[in-house]
PDB file of all heavy atoms in Angstrom:
ATOM      1  N   ALA A 313     -45.739  84.009 -81.743  1.00  0.00           N
ATOM      2  CA  ALA A 313     -44.385  84.215 -81.229  1.00  0.00           C
ATOM      3  C   ALA A 313     -44.162  83.370 -79.980  1.00  0.00           C
ATOM      4  O   ALA A 313     -43.137  82.729 -79.786  1.00  0.00           O
ATOM      5  CB  ALA A 313     -44.136  85.690 -80.873  1.00  0.00           C
ATOM      6  N   ILE A 314     -45.187  83.367 -79.062  1.00  0.00           N
ATOM      7  CA  ILE A 314     -45.005  82.627 -77.814  1.00  0.00           C
ATOM      8  C   ILE A 314     -44.911  81.095 -78.078  1.00  0.00           C
ATOM      9  O   ILE A 314     -44.254  80.372 -77.363  1.00  0.00           O
ATOM     10  CB  ILE A 314     -46.092  82.967 -76.779  1.00  0.00           C
ATOM     11  CG1 ILE A 314     -45.565  82.931 -75.375  1.00  0.00           C
ATOM     12  CG2 ILE A 314     -47.296  82.125 -76.904  1.00  0.00           C
ATOM     13  CD1 ILE A 314     -44.577  83.961 -75.025  1.00  0.00           C
ATOM     14  N   THR A 315     -45.640  80.637 -79.132  1.00  0.00           N
ATOM     15  CA  THR A 315     -45.479  79.237 -79.476  1.00  0.00           C
ATOM     16  C   THR A 315     -44.055  78.936 -79.930  1.00  0.00           C
ATOM     17  O   THR A 315     -43.418  77.886 -79.651  1.00  0.00           O
ATOM     18  CB  THR A 315     -46.483  78.887 -80.584  1.00  0.00           C
ATOM     19  OG1 THR A 315     -47.844  79.125 -80.091  1.00  0.00           O
ATOM     20  CG2 THR A 315     -46.418  77.370 -80.949  1.00  0.00           C
ATOM     21  N   GLY A 316     -43.472  79.909 -80.733  1.00  0.00           N
ATOM     22  CA  GLY A 316     -42.104  79.830 -81.133  1.00  0.00           C
ATOM     23  C   GLY A 316     -41.156  79.799 -79.967  1.00  0.00           C
ATOM     24  O   GLY A 316     -40.158  79.064 -79.933  1.00  0.00           O
ATOM     25  N   VAL A 317     -41.442  80.601 -78.929  1.00  0.00           N
ATOM     26  CA  VAL A 317     -40.631  80.645 -77.768  1.00  0.00           C
ATOM     27  C   VAL A 317     -40.700  79.276 -77.031  1.00  0.00           C
ATOM     28  O   VAL A 317     -39.647  78.683 -76.550  1.00  0.00           O
ATOM     29  CB  VAL A 317     -41.180  81.738 -76.797  1.00  0.00           C
ATOM     30  CG1 VAL A 317     -40.530  81.585 -75.433  1.00  0.00           C
ATOM     31  CG2 VAL A 317     -40.852  83.118 -77.357  1.00  0.00           C
ATOM     32  N   ALA A 318     -41.842  78.686 -76.969  1.00  0.00           N
ATOM     33  CA  ALA A 318     -42.008  77.341 -76.377  1.00  0.00           C
ATOM     34  C   ALA A 318     -41.217  76.317 -77.085  1.00  0.00           C
ATOM     35  O   ALA A 318     -40.584  75.469 -76.455  1.00  0.00           O
ATOM     36  CB  ALA A 318     -43.477  76.967 -76.236  1.00  0.00           C
ATOM     37  N   LEU A 319     -41.298  76.346 -78.426  1.00  0.00           N
ATOM     38  CA  LEU A 319     -40.534  75.351 -79.188  1.00  0.00           C
ATOM     39  C   LEU A 319     -39.008  75.487 -78.966  1.00  0.00           C
ATOM     40  O   LEU A 319     -38.266  74.560 -78.827  1.00  0.00           O
ATOM     41  CB  LEU A 319     -40.802  75.569 -80.667  1.00  0.00           C
ATOM     42  CG  LEU A 319     -42.104  75.131 -81.221  1.00  0.00           C
ATOM     43  CD1 LEU A 319     -42.139  75.313 -82.757  1.00  0.00           C
ATOM     44  CD2 LEU A 319     -42.355  73.597 -81.003  1.00  0.00           C
ATOM     45  N   TRP A 320     -38.565  76.803 -78.941  1.00  0.00           N
ATOM     46  CA  TRP A 320     -37.179  77.065 -78.725  1.00  0.00           C
ATOM     47  C   TRP A 320     -36.715  76.505 -77.338  1.00  0.00           C
ATOM     48  O   TRP A 320     -35.705  75.800 -77.284  1.00  0.00           O
ATOM     49  CB  TRP A 320     -36.970  78.571 -78.732  1.00  0.00           C
ATOM     50  CG  TRP A 320     -35.684  79.053 -78.045  1.00  0.00           C
ATOM     51  CD1 TRP A 320     -34.412  78.927 -78.477  1.00  0.00           C
ATOM     52  CD2 TRP A 320     -35.667  79.705 -76.735  1.00  0.00           C
ATOM     53  NE1 TRP A 320     -33.584  79.520 -77.564  1.00  0.00           N
ATOM     54  CE2 TRP A 320     -34.311  79.977 -76.427  1.00  0.00           C
ATOM     55  CE3 TRP A 320     -36.609  80.098 -75.849  1.00  0.00           C
ATOM     56  CZ2 TRP A 320     -33.906  80.636 -75.346  1.00  0.00           C
ATOM     57  CZ3 TRP A 320     -36.251  80.761 -74.615  1.00  0.00           C
ATOM     58  CH2 TRP A 320     -34.845  80.980 -74.403  1.00  0.00           C
ATOM     59  N   TYR A 321     -37.476  76.734 -76.313  1.00  0.00           N
ATOM     60  CA  TYR A 321     -36.990  76.332 -74.958  1.00  0.00           C
ATOM     61  C   TYR A 321     -37.181  74.777 -74.808  1.00  0.00           C
ATOM     62  O   TYR A 321     -36.243  74.077 -74.314  1.00  0.00           O
ATOM     63  CB  TYR A 321     -37.781  77.039 -73.855  1.00  0.00           C
ATOM     64  CG  TYR A 321     -37.272  76.626 -72.521  1.00  0.00           C
ATOM     65  CD1 TYR A 321     -36.079  77.164 -72.018  1.00  0.00           C
ATOM     66  CD2 TYR A 321     -37.965  75.710 -71.760  1.00  0.00           C
ATOM     67  CE1 TYR A 321     -35.599  76.798 -70.735  1.00  0.00           C
ATOM     68  CE2 TYR A 321     -37.480  75.265 -70.452  1.00  0.00           C
ATOM     69  CZ  TYR A 321     -36.301  75.848 -69.998  1.00  0.00           C
ATOM     70  OH  TYR A 321     -35.824  75.461 -68.799  1.00  0.00           O
ATOM     71  N   TYR A 322     -38.357  74.291 -75.061  1.00  0.00           N
ATOM     72  CA  TYR A 322     -38.669  72.866 -74.796  1.00  0.00           C
ATOM     73  C   TYR A 322     -38.114  71.918 -75.865  1.00  0.00           C
ATOM     74  O   TYR A 322     -38.192  70.724 -75.651  1.00  0.00           O
ATOM     75  CB  TYR A 322     -40.169  72.675 -74.586  1.00  0.00           C
ATOM     76  CG  TYR A 322     -40.667  73.354 -73.336  1.00  0.00           C
ATOM     77  CD1 TYR A 322     -41.456  74.486 -73.397  1.00  0.00           C
ATOM     78  CD2 TYR A 322     -40.314  72.904 -72.112  1.00  0.00           C
ATOM     79  CE1 TYR A 322     -41.953  75.118 -72.312  1.00  0.00           C
ATOM     80  CE2 TYR A 322     -40.810  73.502 -70.943  1.00  0.00           C
ATOM     81  CZ  TYR A 322     -41.597  74.609 -71.032  1.00  0.00           C
ATOM     82  OH  TYR A 322     -42.036  75.240 -69.916  1.00  0.00           O
ATOM     83  N   GLY A 323     -37.617  72.454 -76.955  1.00  0.00           N
ATOM     84  CA  GLY A 323     -37.138  71.606 -78.026  1.00  0.00           C
ATOM     85  C   GLY A 323     -35.624  71.382 -78.016  1.00  0.00           C
ATOM     86  O   GLY A 323     -35.129  70.727 -78.896  1.00  0.00           O
ATOM     87  N   GLN A 324     -34.952  71.847 -76.955  1.00  0.00           N
ATOM     88  CA  GLN A 324     -33.477  71.659 -76.946  1.00  0.00           C
ATOM     89  C   GLN A 324     -33.084  71.429 -75.487  1.00  0.00           C
ATOM     90  O   GLN A 324     -33.858  71.567 -74.554  1.00  0.00           O
ATOM     91  CB  GLN A 324     -32.750  72.877 -77.491  1.00  0.00           C
ATOM     92  CG  GLN A 324     -33.027  74.190 -76.719  1.00  0.00           C
ATOM     93  CD  GLN A 324     -32.242  75.384 -77.230  1.00  0.00           C
ATOM     94  OE1 GLN A 324     -30.984  75.234 -77.403  1.00  0.00           O
ATOM     95  NE2 GLN A 324     -32.835  76.459 -77.467  1.00  0.00           N
ATOM     96  N   LYS A 325     -31.798  71.170 -75.292  1.00  0.00           N
ATOM     97  CA  LYS A 325     -31.236  70.925 -73.971  1.00  0.00           C
ATOM     98  C   LYS A 325     -31.429  72.211 -73.136  1.00  0.00           C
ATOM     99  O   LYS A 325     -31.152  73.320 -73.577  1.00  0.00           O
ATOM    100  CB  LYS A 325     -29.776  70.602 -74.098  1.00  0.00           C
ATOM    101  CG  LYS A 325     -29.094  70.197 -72.806  1.00  0.00           C
ATOM    102  CD  LYS A 325     -27.604  69.745 -73.016  1.00  0.00           C
ATOM    103  CE  LYS A 325     -26.969  69.364 -71.713  1.00  0.00           C
ATOM    104  NZ  LYS A 325     -25.563  68.989 -71.943  1.00  0.00           N
ATOM    105  N   GLN A 326     -31.824  72.006 -71.852  1.00  0.00           N
ATOM    106  CA  GLN A 326     -32.098  73.128 -70.985  1.00  0.00           C
ATOM    107  C   GLN A 326     -30.785  73.865 -70.610  1.00  0.00           C
ATOM    108  O   GLN A 326     -29.733  73.269 -70.384  1.00  0.00           O
ATOM    109  CB  GLN A 326     -32.754  72.669 -69.703  1.00  0.00           C
ATOM    110  CG  GLN A 326     -34.085  71.975 -69.992  1.00  0.00           C
ATOM    111  CD  GLN A 326     -33.979  70.476 -70.064  1.00  0.00           C
ATOM    112  OE1 GLN A 326     -32.992  69.952 -70.634  1.00  0.00           O
ATOM    113  NE2 GLN A 326     -34.956  69.718 -69.522  1.00  0.00           N
ATOM    114  N   LYS A 327     -30.883  75.211 -70.592  1.00  0.00           N
ATOM    115  CA  LYS A 327     -29.789  76.044 -70.185  1.00  0.00           C
ATOM    116  C   LYS A 327     -30.248  77.109 -69.286  1.00  0.00           C
ATOM    117  O   LYS A 327     -31.392  77.640 -69.413  1.00  0.00           O
ATOM    118  CB  LYS A 327     -29.110  76.703 -71.420  1.00  0.00           C
ATOM    119  CG  LYS A 327     -28.597  75.746 -72.425  1.00  0.00           C
ATOM    120  CD  LYS A 327     -28.029  76.464 -73.689  1.00  0.00           C
ATOM    121  CE  LYS A 327     -27.602  75.450 -74.756  1.00  0.00           C
ATOM    122  NZ  LYS A 327     -27.209  76.174 -76.046  1.00  0.00           N
ATOM    123  N   PRO A 328     -29.446  77.471 -68.211  1.00  0.00           N
ATOM    124  CA  PRO A 328     -29.943  78.466 -67.231  1.00  0.00           C
ATOM    125  C   PRO A 328     -30.330  79.800 -67.887  1.00  0.00           C
ATOM    126  O   PRO A 328     -31.393  80.357 -67.520  1.00  0.00           O
ATOM    127  CB  PRO A 328     -28.699  78.633 -66.248  1.00  0.00           C
ATOM    128  CG  PRO A 328     -27.962  77.351 -66.438  1.00  0.00           C
ATOM    129  CD  PRO A 328     -28.164  76.929 -67.870  1.00  0.00           C
ATOM    130  N   GLU A 329     -29.552  80.252 -68.825  1.00  0.00           N
ATOM    131  CA  GLU A 329     -29.886  81.554 -69.474  1.00  0.00           C
ATOM    132  C   GLU A 329     -31.127  81.519 -70.269  1.00  0.00           C
ATOM    133  O   GLU A 329     -31.904  82.453 -70.361  1.00  0.00           O
ATOM    134  CB  GLU A 329     -28.677  82.065 -70.294  1.00  0.00           C
ATOM    135  CG  GLU A 329     -28.374  81.221 -71.541  1.00  0.00           C
ATOM    136  CD  GLU A 329     -27.384  80.034 -71.245  1.00  0.00           C
ATOM    137  OE1 GLU A 329     -27.284  79.660 -70.068  1.00  0.00           O
ATOM    138  OE2 GLU A 329     -26.767  79.591 -72.246  1.00  0.00           O
ATOM    139  N   ASN A 330     -31.425  80.348 -70.841  1.00  0.00           N
ATOM    140  CA  ASN A 330     -32.666  80.144 -71.612  1.00  0.00           C
ATOM    141  C   ASN A 330     -33.859  80.200 -70.656  1.00  0.00           C
ATOM    142  O   ASN A 330     -34.946  80.729 -71.001  1.00  0.00           O
ATOM    143  CB  ASN A 330     -32.706  78.865 -72.403  1.00  0.00           C
ATOM    144  CG  ASN A 330     -31.678  78.884 -73.558  1.00  0.00           C
ATOM    145  OD1 ASN A 330     -31.064  79.921 -73.812  1.00  0.00           O
ATOM    146  ND2 ASN A 330     -31.583  77.800 -74.267  1.00  0.00           N
ATOM    147  N   TYR A 331     -33.688  79.579 -69.439  1.00  0.00           N
ATOM    148  CA  TYR A 331     -34.759  79.586 -68.507  1.00  0.00           C
ATOM    149  C   TYR A 331     -35.113  80.961 -68.057  1.00  0.00           C
ATOM    150  O   TYR A 331     -36.317  81.299 -67.914  1.00  0.00           O
ATOM    151  CB  TYR A 331     -34.389  78.728 -67.297  1.00  0.00           C
ATOM    152  CG  TYR A 331     -35.474  78.597 -66.236  1.00  0.00           C
ATOM    153  CD1 TYR A 331     -36.599  77.847 -66.481  1.00  0.00           C
ATOM    154  CD2 TYR A 331     -35.368  79.320 -65.046  1.00  0.00           C
ATOM    155  CE1 TYR A 331     -37.604  77.768 -65.472  1.00  0.00           C
ATOM    156  CE2 TYR A 331     -36.382  79.304 -64.104  1.00  0.00           C
ATOM    157  CZ  TYR A 331     -37.500  78.498 -64.342  1.00  0.00           C
ATOM    158  OH  TYR A 331     -38.492  78.443 -63.409  1.00  0.00           O
ATOM    159  N   VAL A 332     -34.112  81.816 -67.851  1.00  0.00           N
ATOM    160  CA  VAL A 332     -34.386  83.214 -67.466  1.00  0.00           C
ATOM    161  C   VAL A 332     -35.214  83.895 -68.519  1.00  0.00           C
ATOM    162  O   VAL A 332     -36.190  84.589 -68.291  1.00  0.00           O
ATOM    163  CB  VAL A 332     -33.062  83.937 -67.218  1.00  0.00           C
ATOM    164  CG1 VAL A 332     -33.311  85.457 -67.004  1.00  0.00           C
ATOM    165  CG2 VAL A 332     -32.336  83.340 -66.027  1.00  0.00           C
TER     166      VAL A 332
END
Side-chain angles (χ1 to χ4, degrees):
I314 211 69
T315 303
V317 169
L319 286 183
W320 158 76
Y321 182 79
Y322 292 110
Q324 63 174 312
K325 186 177 179 180
Q326 301 93 323
K327 301 175 184 176
E329 64 272 23
N330 289 359
Y331 181 73
V332 172

